[in-house]
Amino acid sequence: MTENFIIMNPFKKYTSSIEDSDTNVISFIASDFIDGNMDIDESYLKETLPILPLRNTIVFPGSTLPISVGRKKSLALIRSLGKKQRYIGLVCQKDTSVEDPEKEDLYPIGVIAEVIRVIELADNNFSIIVQAKKRFEWLEITQTNPFLKATYRLRESVKAPKDDKEFKAILDSIRDAMLHMLHLLGEPPKELIQTISSESFSDMLISYCGTNLPIENREKQELLSINDEKEQAYRLLMILNRESQILELKMNIQMKTREDLNQQQKEYFLQQQIKTIQEELGGNTQQIEIDEFRQKALRKKWSTEVGETFEKEVQKLERLNPQSPDYSVQYGYLQTILELPWGEYTKDNFNLKNAQKVLDRDHFGMEKVKERIIEHLAVLKLKGDLKAPILCLYGPPGVGKTSLGKSIAEAINRKYVRISLGGLHDEAEIRGHRRTYIGAIPGRIIQNIQKAGTSNPVFVLDEVDKIGNDFRGDPSSALLEVLDPEQNSAFHDNYLSIEYDLSKVLFIATANNLSTIPQPLLDRMELINVGGYIAEEKIEIAYRHLVPKELLNHGIEKGAFSIPKSTLHQIVEHYTRESGVRELNKKIAKVMRKIARKIASDEAYPKSLKISDLPEYLGIEEYSRDRYQGNEYAGVVTGLAWTAVGGEILFVESSLSRGKGAKLTLTGNLGDVMKESAMLAMEYIHSHAQELDIDPDIFENWNTHIHVPEGAIPKDGPSAGITMITSLASIYTQRKVRPNLAMTGEITLRGKVLPVGGIREKILAAKRAGIREIILCKENKKDIDEIKADYVEGVLFHYVSDVKEVLKLALLDEKVDNAKDFMIKTVAQQE
């Protein structure tokens, strides 16, 4: 037989591990490299044989296994082995505790083994791999130092005949018994079952079973000493049946005792143990915490439903083991419920004069917003119960939308909380995560209510127009429930799983651009426009609020330094370009830093900042406001535009050049809508040429170029429609445009003038540029009526509904100086 079998010890978990620091199997798991070759080259055998004592290990012929060598005599034996002398005797000790065994300590029968390989390990130890060949009986010990040697004789086994059916049946029974034991211990590897079951393994079956069976060494030694193979197989089968029955009984006993100790008894036993341990440590911490929860719950003003839910959750906590991961989750959930201000409200201050005083103190202007807050307080005072409105303050950056929330909270004596929604993508940030998720927490609405400690705070939802959405949901849709007065009285948070009343919360949303807010969300909010400030307002805000605040922030004593209004006006006009006052605040802070440095360095500094000092503290002027440029040129018309930083004036310029085909060129970084307005204007001029005294043949011989200066800045929108028509009519008729005139409005192909937005900002820009007359659509008159009289003072408004009215107002009968030359050139070219 030439096959090598590599078989693991199937009884590793069943048997106790072998502890032997000297001569021991390194790994009993891989101890059986069964080889069918058991022949010995007797020419290498001598009269005496080196003896290697083994602790707790009986080796059967045919086994290949590693042995760790550490005892002094054993090491001497291994070092003495030459290339030819590779045979040693492996004999088991009777008592494993004996360090230096004598002849009476050794079993008389062992196995002659061939040393296949010697491996040197650390600490002067060796590991050898041996292959057991044949049984032998040592007769007399002839040498004890440096290692044991003995005379011996080989013991041949009486083989059973190959055709012995009884022997074959015994082997089959051994296989069955072995496999039965393996299945009792657990599911054995398929490879092991296949190996044991194969006929080719029959010759090694007895040796394999004898080596691996978890029985005493004495019994294994008796099995090894039997000379007759058939008798040895009988003896092995008896042992296997006995061990199998014992193992089966053990398993049955374990099953019975496991069934008797039912789950209730087990829990009771464990609880008693935990209780005893906790008493030894100073008390039941878990029960103390639960009692504290129940005491806090007694002081809560929640509804009966919430109280019942809380008690159920507390009972769940009592049943949990404090070491369980679920315990901390349940504990955190109960803490969240207890920390929420159920039914707790701050008392509103209905003193309308005091509220007006606080709002006026903190914010200059914003009359509409203040008026709306005072109205809300008045109704609340009269009725006593009013669902809180949802206000949305929209306007350019830096006008004080967010800081207004703090003033409102102080004015009505409420707590103030704020969350920023800019860039929010996850719906769970609003509604919270379900408790089934690891690390689940409530949504930011419930978190901030918990932080406020009251159920009626002023809640600012900042940057509501910058919410995004992705695969994690749409937060703006989750806000629909929060911002609907009809629904938020029973707001559902996924983590809390209990309805919470948000109807008394005063929500204030802020936004820069309403176009990015979903329409359903807009419908639930009352929109209040917080427009930009005029220069006079900015100066007042800086003088009253910004300068005192920055003096305090930079550690400069009050009265040690000041910035007069004339200097502030210069900063506003030439160092900032914005609708709000954020950039203005930065410029004032920059001045304060330089003043603080001079004060700290004991250097001289101006007590009052003059206009002439600005280049030193703020550098050269950053902006120059657009001014009206006159009407000396045909085709140059002043328009009005809205930008994110406020209103601006823009110029539309037209020119003509000779060429065929009436080519129209547009420049100035114009958007699609503005290009369409230019084409509409050109088409209108073509169709109404006769009414404007324009020879239609001119269009075929002259190319038209429309340009809007500052080409690096993108421009778009329909509000330059009437400006472009006026510019084209002026260049084709060579008539001058009315001086100090600006205009804004959309046009149609029929010549109708349509209303546009951003009127307030555009009016302010026109006033800054020195414009005295403005043309608007009739429907924009309502926007002018809503603007404070101070803002429109000194400006004359012309309201129109048709382009003909625009041209009649805008174009003078007077022509530019070169009009005659232009007409001569035109006529000459026609001839």
Side-chain angles (χ1 to χ4, degrees), residues 49 75 135 152 307 636:
L49 185 70
L75 290 172
R135 296 179 307 127
Y152 64 96
V636 180

Side-chain angles (χ1 to χ4, degrees), residues 657-675:
S657 60
R658 285 185 293 176
K660 294 289 184 180
K663 181 181 177 184
L664 175 62
T665 304
L666 303 172
T667 56
N669 200 354
L670 307 182
D672 292 338
V673 177
M674 212 162 180
K675 288 178 182 178

Side-chain angles (χ1 to χ4, degrees), residues 16 82 284 692:
S16 58
N284 188 341
L692 297 170

Side-chain angles (χ1 to χ4, degrees), residues 558-576:
K558 189 177 181 181
F561 176 74
S562 65
I563 304 178
K565 290 185 178 181
S566 58
T567 307
L568 289 172
H569 184 274
Q570 188 72 8
I571 295 174
V572 169
E573 288 292 334
H574 298 284
Y575 289 91
T576 65

Side-chain angles (χ1 to χ4, degrees), residues 26 70 117 142 171 191 314 381 422 463 478 521 601 739 797:
I26 291 177
R117 188 176 180 184
T142 60
L171 293 180
E191 295 82 3
V314 169
K381 182 177 182 179
E463 311 291 356
L521 198 56
S601 304
F797 295 97

Side-chain angles (χ1 to χ4, degrees), residues 358-371:
V358 172
L359 294 174
D360 289 338
R361 181 197 69 192
D362 294 343
H363 291 83
F364 186 83
M366 295 190 179
E367 303 305 329
K368 280 190 178 181
V369 183
K370 296 175 184 176
E371 184 181 356

Side-chain angles (χ1 to χ4, degrees), residues 628-629 636-640 649-652 723 737 741-743 771:
Y628 175 69
Q629 297 180 357
V636 180
V637 183
T638 307
L640 299 174
I649 67 169
L650 55 82
F651 301 99
V652 177
T723 313
V737 179
L741 175 73
M743 59 188 70
I771 298 296

Side-chain angles (χ1 to χ4, degrees), residues 388-415:
I390 313 298
L391 305 181
C392 180
L393 309 178
Y394 71 95
V399 295
K401 299 185 298 296
T402 304
S403 60
L404 189 63
K406 283 187 178 180
S407 300
I408 294 172
E410 183 183 347
I412 61 179
N413 192 32
R414 288 193 182 187
K415 298 287 186 179

